[in-house]
Amino acid sequence: MSEGKEKIEKPGCLYWGFKAYLRFFHDKIYYKKTYKVNSEAVPADGTPLLIVSNHQNCMNDPLGLVFSFQDRKPHVITRADVFLVSPIANKFLRSIGLLPAFRLDYEGEGALSKNAETFRQSEQALIDGKTVIMYPEAGHQDKRWLGTFSFGYTKMAFEAAELGNFEKDVVILPACNHYSHYFGMRNRMLVKFGTPISLQPYYELYKTKPRTAQREVNKLVREQISNLMLDIRDLDNYQAIDFIRTTYGTDYAKAKGIDPNDLPERLLVDKELVAKLDEGFKSEDTYLQGTVAAAYEIARLLRQGIDEHGITDEHLKQEVNPITLGFKLLLLLMLFPLWIFSWWPSMLVYWIPMSIFKAKMKDPMFEGTLLFGSAVLFTIPLFSLITLLVVGLTNGWLSALIYVALFPLIMLFCWKYAQCGKKALQSLKCLLHPKSVDKLKRMRKDMHGLLNEALDILKTKKHK
């Protein structure tokens, strides 16, 4: 057995069964598609491994990382307030390997002492050859940018090495989570791993200058994570930039021969586009800088107009065909009874947690955590049991089992119908307000023209 690695005890069948249930609803139902990029970079199980990632979507981030592994049960250190939602949530999160991290700005100074036990368990897990996941931003962001890192993760990693008398190589693996959209179901999510960083070369420096060793390691880790993710640093223009990459960026990707729905490829294209926008906006060429600034201003107004009219950028790309829309509305009308039937359990799975908790939810980034967590832990098992009993006693147990087995498909149909209905109503708004929509189309054309001009200038400068 190689140095620094040892055979570790595997979790039991109950854990794997529970994880398989969660993974199914996470990867196949809640998300339309999940991607795991550069998984081959993950060191073998048994390596003292600390995975460090950006944090942008509450519990969805650690779940994405946990479901990236087939052969291990990672310990995840995440914000403590998620554990305080309810005793059931607390028990569930701990059962899948999550541990609470208490923060001064959120839980108060009195709660910080509770971190000692979490860190002690994590350090021991590391030196025992297990995997630990941490988020050094100490809280999630609500935008696609990388926040300030605390040094808690480097301190824990080196202290774990010290716990093992510096005989084992503790490895830090940078990673990132990325989403096509933050809110709602059937989006795409990505977990991307970087290059492992061995702490062994820093052991001697740590023994004499621990803070210096931590700073050097932190610099390497942060640089990797920033390069892995979409890190929009211009927060003053963030809304305009993010709108441009999701609208203009789709055409930009297609022009490069990239499928805009291929999230790993789209991430690279988005990073490239954002970098060019940033270069243009900060350029010493006043004309180029002004062109990008003008595109930003139109993007803000266009986004505001789209939101006010309750439509999307897709409706501005082409004219709405009244005949096609009529057929869609007729089909929706014909399928309406089936949609009503699908409300059990689909609408209740969504409505119960949102009606109870959303008003109390100050942070919108908790929405995904609330929906997924409450569904897999409470509403889906509850309605499955009720359905089994009611249908089983009235129509036979085979019918009940088939009905419950179809719940995932029923929920997908309910969601798809609602989305198609929403899009049809948005198209109808376009027909009812042609002047307003035409104005937005002209703004969109102007924005695209300015962006094309700015990118052409940058391309010309590059080739000079």
Side-chain angles (χ1 to χ4, degrees), residues 36-153:
K36 311 295 184 291
V37 180
N38 201 29
S39 297
E40 62 274 12
V42 180
D45 198 10
T47 303
L49 179 63
L50 176 60
I51 298 177
V52 179
S53 176
N54 65 325
H55 201 11
Q56 296 187 341
N57 209 353
C58 289
M59 191 178 72
N60 301 55
D61 284 349
L63 286 179
L65 282 167
V66 168
F67 295 145
S68 298
F69 305 113
Q70 299 287 345
D71 59 346
R72 65 189 76 188
K73 179 182 178 180
H75 295 266
V76 187
I77 300 178
T78 188
R79 51 188 296 170
D81 51 355
V82 180
F83 293 77
L84 304 177
V85 172
S86 72
I88 295 177
N90 179 51
K91 190 172 182 180
F92 159 66
L93 295 173
R94 291 179 182 273
S95 72
I96 61 173
L98 274 64
L99 295 170
F102 297 87
R103 299 152 300 164
L104 177 64
D105 293 340
Y106 294 87
E107 288 79 36
E109 185 176 357
L112 294 181
S113 60
K114 299 178 183 179
N115 285 329
E117 179 61 19
T118 293
F119 276 67
R120 187 196 66 77
Q121 293 177 21
S122 302
E123 289 167 8
Q124 187 61 56
L126 272 178
I127 211 61
D128 287 344
K130 297 179 181 178
T131 300
V132 176
I133 299 171
M134 284 190 73
Y135 296 93
E137 292 166 283
H140 64 261
Q141 311 302 333
D142 62 351
K143 298 179 179 65
R144 302 173 193 274
W145 66 287
L146 192 59
T148 303
F149 278 19
S150 72
F151 276 44
Y153 78 101

Side-chain angles (χ1 to χ4, degrees), residues 148-218:
T148 303
F149 278 19
S150 72
F151 276 44
Y153 78 101
T154 53
K155 182 176 184 293
M156 189 187 76
F158 278 111
E159 288 182 353
E162 189 173 11
L163 185 65
N165 297 315
F166 297 103
E167 295 175 359
K168 294 183 179 181
D169 183 15
V170 176
V171 176
I172 295 180
L173 178 63
C176 87
N177 290 85
H178 183 68
Y179 303 84
S180 58
H181 300 283
Y182 287 135
F183 305 109
M185 284 180 53
R186 307 302 290 165
N187 296 316
R188 294 172 174 84
M189 71 90 63
L190 173 151
V191 171
K192 189 173 185 178
F193 297 102
T195 302
I197 298 172
S198 167
L199 293 193
Q200 207 162 39
Y202 299 91
Y203 284 172
E204 292 305 315
L205 176 62
Y206 175 77
K207 292 175 184 178
T208 56
K209 298 180 178 179
R211 197 65 176 174
T212 301
Q214 291 180 53
R215 277 197 297 268
E216 290 188 11
V217 170
N218 179 70

Side-chain angles (χ1 to χ4, degrees), residues 228-422:
L228 288 170
M229 63 180 284
L230 179 59
D231 189 9
I232 301 176
R233 305 305 303 170
D234 185 358
L235 297 183
D236 290 336
N237 294 298
Y238 178 88
Q239 297 296 343
I241 294 170
D242 196 50
F243 177 79
I244 288 171
R245 73 159 191 94
T246 57
T247 54
Y248 177 86
T250 298
D251 295 336
Y252 183 79
K254 289 179 179 178
K256 289 181 166 291
I258 300 298
D259 179 1
N261 293 319
D262 185 329
L263 194 57
E265 293 295 329
R266 179 63 183 269
L267 172 60
L268 297 178
V269 172
D270 282 352
K271 285 169 63 66
E272 177 185 302
L273 176 59
V274 169
K276 288 183 176 181
L277 291 174
D278 191 57
E279 181 183 353
F281 187 72
K282 294 178 180 177
S283 173
E284 294 180 0
D285 183 331
T286 55
Y287 182 79
L288 174 58
Q289 194 276 338
T291 302
V292 177
Y296 284 176
E297 183 59 29
I298 294 178
R300 292 187 185 95
L301 296 173
L302 181 57
R303 179 177 181 270
Q304 181 181 349
I306 285 175
D307 290 343
E308 288 177 353
H309 286 81
I311 59 175
T312 69
D313 182 69
E314 292 295 319
H315 295 93
L316 305 181
K317 290 184 177 182
Q318 56 188 9
E319 296 292 333
V320 176
N321 187 317
I323 297 176
T324 303
L325 177 58
F327 277 114
K328 289 181 179 178
L329 291 171
L330 179 61
L331 181 59
L332 287 168
L333 183 62
M334 293 170 61
L335 292 175
F336 184 75
L338 187 58
W339 183 56
I340 297 297
F341 173 80
S342 72
W343 284 13
W344 180 276
S346 307
M347 292 299 289
L348 294 175
V349 166
Y350 172 83
W351 178 80
I352 288 178
M354 297 305 285
S355 62
I356 295 176
F357 296 110
K358 190 167 185 179
K360 303 176 183 178
M361 192 168 57
K362 298 179 181 179
D363 186 348
M365 303 307 291
F366 268 106
E367 182 177 311
T369 299
L370 174 62
L371 282 176
F372 181 78
S374 63
V376 296
L377 289 179
F378 177 66
T379 50
I380 291 176
L382 174 64
F383 296 130
S384 295
L385 179 60
I386 292 174
T387 303
L388 275 174
L389 291 175
V390 174
V391 178
L393 292 173
T394 57
N395 293 284
W397 297 108
L398 180 59
S399 298
L401 287 171
I402 293 174
Y403 188 11
V404 171
L406 290 174
F407 271 6
L409 292 178
I410 291 172
M411 286 187 284
L412 287 179
F413 168 78
C414 185
W415 176 87
K416 186 66 175 178
Y417 182 96
Q419 293 301 304
C420 289
K422 181 179 179 180

